[in-house]
Amino acid sequence: MSQTVQTSVIESLKAPHHGPVPFSVEFFPPRDDAGEERLWRAVRIFERMHPAFVSMTYGAGGSTRERTARITGQLARETTLLPVGHLTAVNHSVAELRAVVGAFAAEGISNILALRGDPPGDPLGQWTRHPEGVEYAEELVRLVGTLGDFHVGVASFPEGHHSAPDLESDTAHLVSKLRAGADYSITQMFFEVDDYLRLRDRVVAADPEQGAKPIIPGIMPITSLASVRRMVELSGSQLPGWLDERLSAAAGPGEQEDRDAVREVGIDVATEMAQRLIAEGAPSLHFCSLNFARATGEVLQRLGMDVLVP
Ligand SMILES: Cc1cc2nc3c(=O)[nH]c(=O)nc-3n(C[C@H](O)[C@H](O)[C@H](O)COP(=O)(O)OP(=O)(O)OC[C@H]3O[C@@H](n4cnc5c(N)ncnc54)[C@H](O)[C@@H]3O)c2cc1C
């Protein structure tokens, strides 16, 4: 079904890079013309920073199926970036999943991040698979593997997935996804570096061969206290007390948070995390950009990368 026209994420991480470690950027498919303009502005700025790859999310409930494939394809054709398309199993039968993978292939995309997705409507609710779909991401990894020469990544969770009964079983399921054919994982955003390091240790202890595959830490430079609180809550996690205190002090007592002060703390924290992750041997850094280039650019600059921040 597919023809491999892209290099793999793994190859790209090994290629010469411009900073202390390679980095990558996550985008989401915009909903309107203004959003599209903002995305492309960010894309062009990031292009000059030479990320190892960029990824495009797949809307909750499979809602952005056409847009994700189309924009990921545009990134492949019209930029120098290496795009990875996210794909979730939500609301899709196996036949539909095959069709989406086919659409990625038709767009020249051979790097796919295979995810189960969250229950539509309530991300923390009870998961029910599509009657003709797949139950877990592991099955999606296998399915994509049968459809062509794709390079597949999966999600990992330093604090454990919110639905997992314990860290050990969640780690075992991550290892199963890697054994099923995934080459790497990207973590959910987190704020305690120790959680990432412990996840890495658990994977290595569970299966040294799979433990050698990159676990790419997901970092979000915080620019708004209200939105990070919302995002963290939706992922079934919480802000560590020390971070909430630092951000709340910057936000100030008023109803309107002091966005400049919060942003400054957010960039400090992301930089401190990145420095520690690099010192601890993280293979690269994956930034949740929210389709803006500036905050990530500032972190990269503070890490010593020679990037121009607009
Ligand atoms: C980097 C990253 C990118 C993401 N991008 C998107 C996106 O673009 N669109 C979107 O909608 N969501 C996205 N998500 C969110 C993700 O879809 C949800 O967190 C989802 O609930 C879990 O997906 P998963 O692929 O990890 O699922 P799975 O690996 O299937 O795990 C889901 C749960 O089932 C358990 N489990 C797994 N396998 C088994 C098994 N064999 N037996 C029993 N239990 C099992 C796991 O421990 C976990 O608790 C992303 C998450 C991350 C970290």
Side-chain angles (χ1 to χ4, degrees), residues 234-247:
L234 285 175
S235 70
S237 158
Q238 52 188 328
L239 277 185
W242 61 268
L243 180 56
D244 204 312
E245 271 169 37
R246 243 172 112 174
L247 290 166

Side-chain angles (χ1 to χ4, degrees), residues 73-149:
Q74 249 178 304
L75 288 170
R77 284 189 307 277
E78 298 171 19
T79 75
T80 54
L81 300 167
L82 172 66
V84 175
H86 294 207
L87 170 62
T88 74
V90 183
N91 283 343
H92 290 330
S93 65
V94 166
E96 284 164 350
L97 288 167
R98 285 170 182 269
V100 183
V101 174
F104 276 125
E107 295 283 355
I109 305 301
S110 50
N111 284 283
I112 291 182
L113 194 72
L115 305 141
R116 187 200 69 179
D118 287 317
D122 175 9
L124 304 182
Q126 180 69 32
W127 162 257
T128 319
R129 77 176 177 100
H130 183 287
E132 286 150 33
V134 300
E135 180 83 39
Y136 297 114
E138 178 187 343
E139 293 160 62
L140 189 54
V141 173
R142 290 189 201 284
L143 176 68
V144 174
T146 62
L147 297 178
D149 199 4

Side-chain angles (χ1 to χ4, degrees), residues 144-162:
V144 174
T146 62
L147 297 178
D149 199 4
F150 290 99
H151 315 293
V152 182
V154 289
S156 53
F157 298 82
E159 299 166 33
H161 188 265
H162 62 82

Side-chain angles (χ1 to χ4, degrees), residues 159-244:
E159 299 166 33
H161 188 265
H162 62 82
S163 71
D166 52 62
L167 290 176
E168 279 58 44
S169 61
D170 200 41
T171 307
H173 297 139
L174 169 59
V175 169
S176 300
K177 291 193 282 192
L178 295 167
R179 285 185 187 143
D183 299 327
Y184 63 94
S185 73
I186 303 180
T187 76
Q188 187 168 55
M189 70 165 169
F190 61 94
F191 298 103
E192 297 286 9
V193 173
D194 283 345
D195 289 339
Y196 168 85
L197 299 175
R198 287 194 204 110
L199 168 67
R200 194 173 65 177
D201 290 348
R202 286 196 301 278
V203 178
V204 171
D207 183 333
E209 193 185 328
Q210 305 308 322
K213 294 180 175 174
I215 301 178
I216 303 175
I219 297 182
M220 199 184 71
I222 297 168
T223 53
S224 151
L225 178 55
S227 18
V228 74
R229 278 196 180 132
R230 204 166 41 246
M231 274 185 242
V232 164
E233 194 185 319
L234 285 175
S235 70
S237 158
Q238 52 188 328
L239 277 185
W242 61 268
L243 180 56
D244 204 312

